[in-house]
Amino acid sequence: MTHMPSRRLFLQAGLAAGGGLLIGLRLPGHNRALAAPEVEPFAPNAFIRVAPDETITLIMSHTEVGQGVYTSACMLIAEELEVGLDQITAEHAPPNNALYADPFLGEQATGGSTSTRAGWKPLRQAGAAARIMLVQAAAEKWHVDPATCTAEHGVVHHTPSGRSLSYGKLASAAGLLPVPKDVTLKPASAFKLIGTPAKRIDTPAKVNGSLRFGIDVQVPGMKIGTVAASPVLGGKLISIDEAAARAILGVRDVVKLDNAVAVIGDHMWAAICGLKAAAPKWDDGPNAGLSSASIVQSLAAASDADGVEAHASGNAKAAIASVTKRLDAVYQLPFLSHAPMEPINTTLHVRPDGADVWLGTQVPPRTQAVVARITGLRPDQVTVHNHYMGGAFGRRLDVDSVEQAARIAKNLAYPVKLIWSREEDIQHDFYRPYYYDKVSAGLDVNGKIVGWLHRTTCSSVMARWLPAGMQKGGKLDPDTVECAVETPYEFPAQLNQFVQVENPGVIVAWWRGVGPTHNVFVVESAMDELAALAGVDPIEFRRRHLGKDPRARAVLDLVAEKSGWGQPLPKGTGRGVGLQIAFGSWLATVVEASVSERGEILLHNVYVVADVGPVVNPDTLAAQLEGGMIFGLSMAMYSEITHFKGRVEQSNFHDYRALRINEAPKVHVHIVNNPNAPIGGVGEAGTAAASAPLANAIFAATGRRLRRIPFATGQLSQA
Amino acid sequence: MFELTVNGTSRQVDVPADMPVLWVLRDVLAMTGTKFGCGIAQCGACTVHLDGNPVRSCLLTVGDAAGKQITTIEGVGATPEGAKIQKAWLDLEVMQCGYCQCGQIMSATALIKAKPTPTDTDIDEAMSGNICRCGTYVRIRAAIHAAAAA
């Protein structure tokens, strides 16, 4: 889902409203339509605000879903601005694609593990430009050469004369200076903050319950509501028992939409009881017959024919036509819900002349646009108050719940907080697509792969979410083949195809790890199967197929060492390996797991070796790899959304399971020191890496090859 | 009308007897540290202490809680065990999104109060009712051991 951005940098600066220095910078995206022709030099929205009262505010263009980006972004700015993290306040950016677009995504959105990659250079440049201007302001005041001044911890010093001035006192003068044309950044050897395990800026408020997520918003006069939408996508509301709902103590309003009903009360309990009493009846509509069996059947049928070509080198079909050993395998990955811990919620106040919306969103401009569309207001009349998110995993890249909230709230004169139950969340998500992947590959007499065919059959997220991101005349969704076309390996002949099948009753969405979470499972499972066919150790087999890329070899060799690869294990325990290049980061992973006689899978240890290039915060990096791995193992073990009679069959954490602490493995993270390489993303890398090494470990432990996720829902207890 | 004692303070609430304490805290008393996650006692995000024991407030009715001591995340730091757990959580940077962590901290505090030096098995038993989607379990375990050793 990423595109390499232009690296041009636009800086503006000037006096901030109310005095002080305002530094703005613009990262032009690949989508020209989103970039404003000229940004107001005194725009109130920028990246750095230094006020005369010494407050330093850094405005966060990306959103915090738990990945630690607020801390990392602040570290990048603070490093060059010469301030400490204890001196700054982070502020959520308002919706503004012109100012805050992610250059990889082309709009102000947080996803695809792009935030730190996008900010790595520009945020340091913004910090450096501000520092240069503040130093210049001091030098002019003192009539000295700026080269004789130094900046440290928010103060400019002139050592020869012993004078110093704080940034706050210099801010207004600095705001009148021109922005420096050339900004020289510190070499890595001079970093004071970058590369250190600096403490996160958001955790002190998270540890005592004081941090406000979207769901915690309280607005004067606010009521609270909950919603039921048609259990079948495309269904309609027939009737409700409105009198019964209104009879519940504390219920204030009932709002009927064509496909949903909301009950609003003084508190959530009144809304919950009112919705139950309303007992909505539905016309299931055209998707009433939808079932998982029929969806898989249609994918399997479609996968028999050639698809759109994503890559072709050599003649892969001919290469494997006459081999002695070949693999023909089908790998399947189920529909997935996101299930972030913070349930879906939106608080809205719609008035004739404007609207306020409070929530946590990965896409502030889409939020603003959809509220404007539904209410008939102009986008500039819609104020988005973004919040920290209690997880997102891609769920809050969509605004369907905001649209629904706006349709409800425009009928109400007061602010309303609309909260979905967990059941509503699991059953009305936009789901990660079901992937039906075929791999055929052949080995020569030396055990080398001579041809590789990989055909992915699925629905397209890109076609819905960002049609402009489609390739080959709208026929190829590049996300469906990410990490399938480009693998760590070199094959003499390779063919990749995409077959698009849309299922009318299911809407598909981005899910943590996007394309790589899907394709790394397929490629690394198939590589393991081929190693077994060749009779070669799985790590050695991978080594023999690597290209000249030294980073892939290095992480693979190191994970073999760290995991004790090749050393004996108890009976029933196995190690599995996986290798990936995804989000600009190199990962090698070994999972150690065992299978009990009853077929239960036990996770013991995970060893991850990561080469992500420069490291902004090693502790955050380790946390993302630990957590991302457990998120991915959760999926591989348990996660599956199924449909029957048009309805989602799962409803809450008892049947849409997440890994719990007693099931979680130890995760050992090793970071390769590689500060001069381009910077990689880490928020999704661990998730993408998790499932294949687990499947491979289960094979090593039992001889059973699992080609369908999830693994721990009975596959191994079946004969 | 029910009388609740929340973090040592007496509060009068005029709500239905079957209303869960979760919603009383959040929507009536404006104490939003206690989180809604599942509503069926599967995730532990809403954990509070009732007379010192960890309970899921999404299924605890106000009628059953009346007359007992309720401790929430807003008040747990005033106890020695709660303060130790919160400090360990910060020292080890346990939290990612943080949404489940109020519940994790309430469960962990109750654990080290009952078992000052818990084993890994004790941690599994006490903490397996608290889901973390960010997958911070590695650090939760380490932080509980660190708090116990502090």
Side-chain angles (χ1 to χ4, degrees), chain B residues 75-114:
Chain B
V76 78
T79 69
E81 294 84 5
K84 274 205 282 190
I85 288 287
Q86 285 175 328
K87 181 175 183 304
W89 248 242
L90 287 172
D91 287 346
L92 274 72
E93 289 286 17
V94 170
M95 290 163 285
Q96 293 187 25
C97 89
Y99 191 83
C100 77
Q101 299 289 350
C102 295
Q104 304 277 3
I105 287 166
M106 296 308 290
S107 292
T109 301
L111 168 62
I112 64 162
K113 203 167 179 183

Side-chain angles (χ1 to χ4, degrees), chain A residues 156-339:
Chain A
V156 181
H157 300 281
H158 184 244
T159 312
S161 63
R163 283 175 292 187
S164 56
L165 275 170
S166 66
Y167 281 7
K169 293 196 171 59
L170 294 164
S172 295
L176 297 170
L177 297 171
V179 179
K181 282 203 177 68
D182 296 310
V183 174
T184 307
L185 297 176
K186 285 181 192 175
S189 58
F191 288 157
K192 289 186 278 195
L193 197 52
I194 293 172
T196 68
K199 289 291 174 191
R200 287 177 63 138
I201 62 170
D202 55 341
T203 43
K206 286 178 176 176
V207 82
N208 59 18
S210 64
L211 185 133
R212 293 286 170 120
F213 297 91
I215 202 169
D216 301 326
V217 162
Q218 288 167 337
V219 183
M222 177 186 88
K223 302 289 178 196
I224 296 172
T226 193
V227 186
S230 168
V232 181
L233 190 70
K236 300 290 178 203
L237 182 66
I238 298 172
S239 65
I240 59 164
D241 189 342
E242 186 165 339
R246 288 187 182 273
I248 300 289
L249 193 68
V251 166
R252 299 292 167 181
D253 268 304
V254 176
V255 178
K256 287 181 279 182
L257 304 178
D258 61 335
N259 63 349
V261 57
V263 177
I264 295 114
D266 292 338
H267 44 67
M268 184 67 170
W269 186 240
I272 290 169
C273 296
L275 186 60
K276 195 174 171 198
K281 292 187 172 55
W282 309 98
D283 170 358
D284 287 347
N287 298 314
L290 186 83
S291 74
S292 292
S294 62
I295 290 170
V296 177
Q297 220 164 34
S298 72
L299 292 170
S303 77
D304 286 338
D306 281 319
V308 178
E309 194 175 283
H311 171 88
S313 55
N315 187 337
K317 284 184 180 176
I320 65 166
S322 57
V323 291
T324 48
K325 287 182 178 171
R326 64 178 278 166
L327 170 74
D328 293 285
V330 174
Y331 301 93
Q332 297 179 71
L333 297 89
F335 287 113
L336 297 176
S337 181
H338 302 79

Side-chain angles (χ1 to χ4, degrees), chain A residues 328-681:
Chain A
D328 293 285
V330 174
Y331 301 93
Q332 297 179 71
L333 297 89
F335 287 113
L336 297 176
S337 181
H338 302 79
M341 289 308 299
E342 181 192 0
I344 295 295
N345 65 87
T346 312
T347 302
L348 257 168
H349 188 197
V350 179
R351 302 172 302 277
D353 60 343
D356 285 272
V357 51
W358 296 264
L359 81 173
T361 178
Q362 294 172 270
V363 284
R366 287 185 186 229
T367 297
Q368 185 183 51
V370 76
V371 173
R373 178 164 63 77
I374 298 300
T375 57
L377 294 163
R378 295 188 314 272
D380 64 277
Q381 293 174 298
V382 177
T383 304
V384 177
H385 307 267
N386 206 3
H387 285 72
Y388 285 98
M389 281 167 263
F393 315 119
R395 179 63 181 102
R396 299 183 218 273
L397 283 167
D398 274 299
V399 293
D400 54 302
S401 54
V402 183
E403 175 173 345
Q404 182 197 63
R407 291 168 68 205
I408 294 163
K410 72 175 184 178
N411 296 291
L412 303 168
Y414 46 82
V416 61
K417 173 156 69 181
L418 292 158
I419 300 172
W420 287 13
S421 66
R422 179 60 64 190
E423 290 78 8
E424 192 72 8
D425 169 45
I426 299 284
Q427 301 188 330
H428 297 83
D429 201 353
F430 285 3
Y431 302 95
R432 205 278 301 269
Y434 195 108
Y435 296 106
Y436 191 96
D437 282 38
K438 283 183 168 171
V439 173
S440 294
L443 299 171
D444 67 12
V445 290
N446 299 315
K448 286 275 281 184
I449 296 168
V450 293
W452 177 276
L453 287 82
H454 181 174
R455 181 182 299 149
T456 289
T457 304
C458 61
S459 315
S460 167
V461 182
M462 191 74 83
R464 174 184 70 81
W465 198 85
L466 190 65
M470 294 292 280
Q471 298 175 358
K472 303 221 166 181
K475 292 198 173 81
L476 174 64
D477 175 346
D479 174 68
T480 65
V481 294
E482 190 174 350
C483 287
V485 168
E486 289 185 23
T487 72
Y489 313 110
E490 283 184 3
F491 305 128
Q494 180 182 336
L495 178 63
N496 291 89
Q497 294 179 336
F498 164 56
V499 180
Q500 188 176 355
V501 176
E502 297 299 335
N503 303 292
V506 188
I507 299 173
V508 293
W510 306 119
W511 196 92
R512 191 177 190 180
V514 290
T517 296
H518 149 222
N519 282 314
V520 172
F521 168 65
V522 176
V523 171
E524 287 301 292
S525 292
M527 283 299 286
D528 222 65
E529 296 207 48
L530 288 159
L533 266 183
V536 178
D537 171 84
I539 287 189
E540 179 54 29
F541 184 79
R542 282 170 174 79
R543 279 196 196 105
R544 290 180 191 176
H545 288 88
L546 288 175
K548 292 194 174 61
D549 180 355
R551 298 173 77 180
R553 187 172 296 271
V555 292
L556 191 58
D557 287 348
L558 194 56
V559 87
E561 180 197 320
K562 296 291 181 188
S563 66
W565 187 263
Q567 290 171 19
L569 286 170
K571 189 177 175 328
T573 304
R575 290 189 193 94
V577 67
L579 179 64
Q580 73 184 39
I581 307 167
F583 311 107
S585 293
W586 277 248
L587 253 70
T589 306
V590 167
V591 169
E592 195 185 294
S594 63
V595 178
S596 74
E597 285 179 8
R598 289 190 300 167
E600 296 159 315
I601 301 163
L602 302 171
L603 307 171
H604 301 294
N605 288 288
V606 178
Y607 301 87
V608 194
V609 173
D611 174 358
V612 306
V615 176
V616 177
N617 185 323
D619 192 58
T620 302
L621 167 55
Q624 282 306 295
L625 293 173
E626 291 163 9
M629 190 62 65
I630 285 172
F631 193 82
L633 289 170
S634 249
M635 168 199 77
M637 292 282 281
Y638 298 122
S639 300
E640 181 173 32
I641 289 291
T642 56
H643 292 79
F644 187 64
K645 292 188 176 173
R647 289 159 166 78
V648 169
E649 294 185 290
Q650 293 71 29
S651 64
N652 206 317
F653 289 122
H654 65 289
D655 55 9
Y656 189 71
R657 288 207 47 200
L659 215 60
R660 293 173 182 272
I661 193 169
N662 57 311
E663 304 164 308
K666 296 187 180 76
V667 183
H668 313 268
V669 175
H670 300 277
I671 301 169
V672 174
N673 181 32
N674 196 0
N676 297 316
I679 191 165

Side-chain angles (χ1 to χ4, degrees), chain A residues 58 60-62 68-78 116 123 616:
Chain A
L58 307 184
M60 299 289 100
S61 56
H62 289 89
V69 70
Y70 273 24
T71 306
S72 307
C74 288
M75 288 171 76
L76 293 173
I77 298 172
T116 303
L123 292 182
V616 177

Side-chain angles (χ1 to χ4, degrees), chain A residues 69-91:
Chain A
V69 70
Y70 273 24
T71 306
S72 307
C74 288
M75 288 171 76
L76 293 173
I77 298 172
E79 178 72 57
E80 289 286 350
L81 185 58
E82 295 295 351
V83 295
L85 290 183
D86 56 333
Q87 294 178 291
I88 56 102
T89 306
E91 193 174 284

